Amino acid sequence: MGVTRHSHIAAKGYLKAWTEDGVLGVGWVNREGPTRLPPSAVAVRSRFYLDQDADGSANDWFETQMGRVESKAIKALRQLETEWPIDASARATLSEFLGLQYLRSPAHRRWYVEAIQNATDDMRRGEGPDLTEDQIREVEATLATDRERHLSMAAKLPVAGTVFMNMHWTLLRCGSPRLATSDHPLVPVTVGQNQPVAAISPTGLTGIAEVRFAVSPRLLLLLTWRDEYDDEPILKMPHDLVRNHNTLVIAQAEEQWFYYPSRRAEHAKGGSWPSLVSQLPG
């Protein structure tokens, strides 16, 4: 049986919302490239979710599991505006999808490598389990395997999904297709001002103040810790907030960012972290 050797770090079904005549508008980070591409050709990494076994074989069990989450969520995303406010089942489905997008990214992989290094450094300083150097190296090697990384992501997914499920949800709507997205489409805004642009919160999930996720070029899902849980509205998205979101999602892009081809997304150079919820009407 074959395995998936070219993987999407952002779901292809999700990116289809930005297509016009079968292609997306594409912006590039630090290099030039085609400005129009189909969803199948963007946000792709070779062998990114494969488990490489010691005997040289490979399997894609994690890719298969992600596909099951995606297939349910894409349908819910496409119905989000017409079904709003969504029921608990759809909310759980989308929360799991948002958690998966947070964990499946290249940014999270870099965070995972740093976390292993920090943990083994602590062991060498005598903090934590009392292990010999050989034992520490064995732990380090095991944690660095594809299998352990994927198992760690699978274990964290319910936690991330629960955090997002319990936030306050607001749906922001544009009159025209003006919102951008990227190969790191989930934007976590951390507590405090002037935080660096990062697709993974440096303070962990509990340090996230709000989450932005462009559902389509016209819709943005905003998750916050507002207290008004009985009122989750659809609001018109002011032009300056569109520019605010586009600036950040483009700034944290790994390699590519995307826009509706006939409407170039407006944004500023660089990125800052002004809160969206503080600027909403009411």
Side-chain angles (χ1 to χ4, degrees), residues 97-118:
F97 178 76
L98 295 176
L100 177 61
Q101 185 57 61
Y102 184 78
L103 296 168
R104 73 189 295 178
S105 65
H108 181 268
R109 180 169 293 194
R110 289 191 293 271
W111 176 91
Y112 182 80
V113 171
E114 292 174 2
I116 293 173
Q117 186 63 60
N118 291 337

Side-chain angles (χ1 to χ4, degrees), residues 22 26 53 57 69 87 212 230:
V26 182
D53 296 324
S57 63
V69 174
D87 61 24
R212 310 171 185 185
D230 57 341

Side-chain angles (χ1 to χ4, degrees), residues 7-124:
S7 305
H8 283 267
I9 58 174
K12 182 171 64 173
Y14 160 71
L15 294 174
K16 284 182 178 179
W18 276 263
T19 57
E20 184 180 34
D21 298 326
V23 296
L24 310 91
V26 182
W28 294 81
V29 178
N30 298 325
R31 71 182 182 93
E32 298 296 323
T35 59
R36 300 287 188 273
L37 286 170
S40 60
V42 299
V44 173
R45 299 293 184 275
S46 179
R47 308 173 73 87
F48 199 71
Y49 303 115
L50 284 185
D51 278 6
Q52 303 286 347
D53 296 324
D55 62 2
S57 63
N59 70 81
D60 60 355
W61 71 271
F62 191 69
E63 180 97 35
T64 301
Q65 294 299 318
M66 287 197 303
R68 292 171 180 164
V69 174
E70 290 172 6
S71 61
K72 294 189 298 181
I74 298 304
K75 181 179 179 180
L77 285 175
R78 290 172 179 163
Q79 298 174 340
L80 192 61
E81 185 175 14
T82 57
E83 298 293 327
W84 193 270
I86 58 176
D87 61 24
S89 176
R91 189 183 183 103
T93 295
L94 291 179
S95 296
E96 185 179 34
F97 178 76
L98 295 176
L100 177 61
Q101 185 57 61
Y102 184 78
L103 296 168
R104 73 189 295 178
S105 65
H108 181 268
R109 180 169 293 194
R110 289 191 293 271
W111 176 91
Y112 182 80
V113 171
E114 292 174 2
I116 293 173
Q117 186 63 60
N118 291 337
T120 53
D121 285 348
D122 287 346
M123 292 178 193
R124 291 186 172 98

Side-chain angles (χ1 to χ4, degrees), residues 173-185:
R173 178 170 53 196
C174 302
S176 57
R178 296 159 51 196
L179 290 167
T181 190
S182 79
D183 50 16
H184 279 97

Side-chain angles (χ1 to χ4, degrees), residues 21 62 76 82 103 131 133 160 206 243 252 254 257 261 277:
D21 298 326
F62 191 69
T82 57
L103 296 168
L131 301 178
E133 179 61 27
T206 57
R243 189 180 179 90
Q252 72 175 33
E254 176 83 4
W257 57 277
V277 69

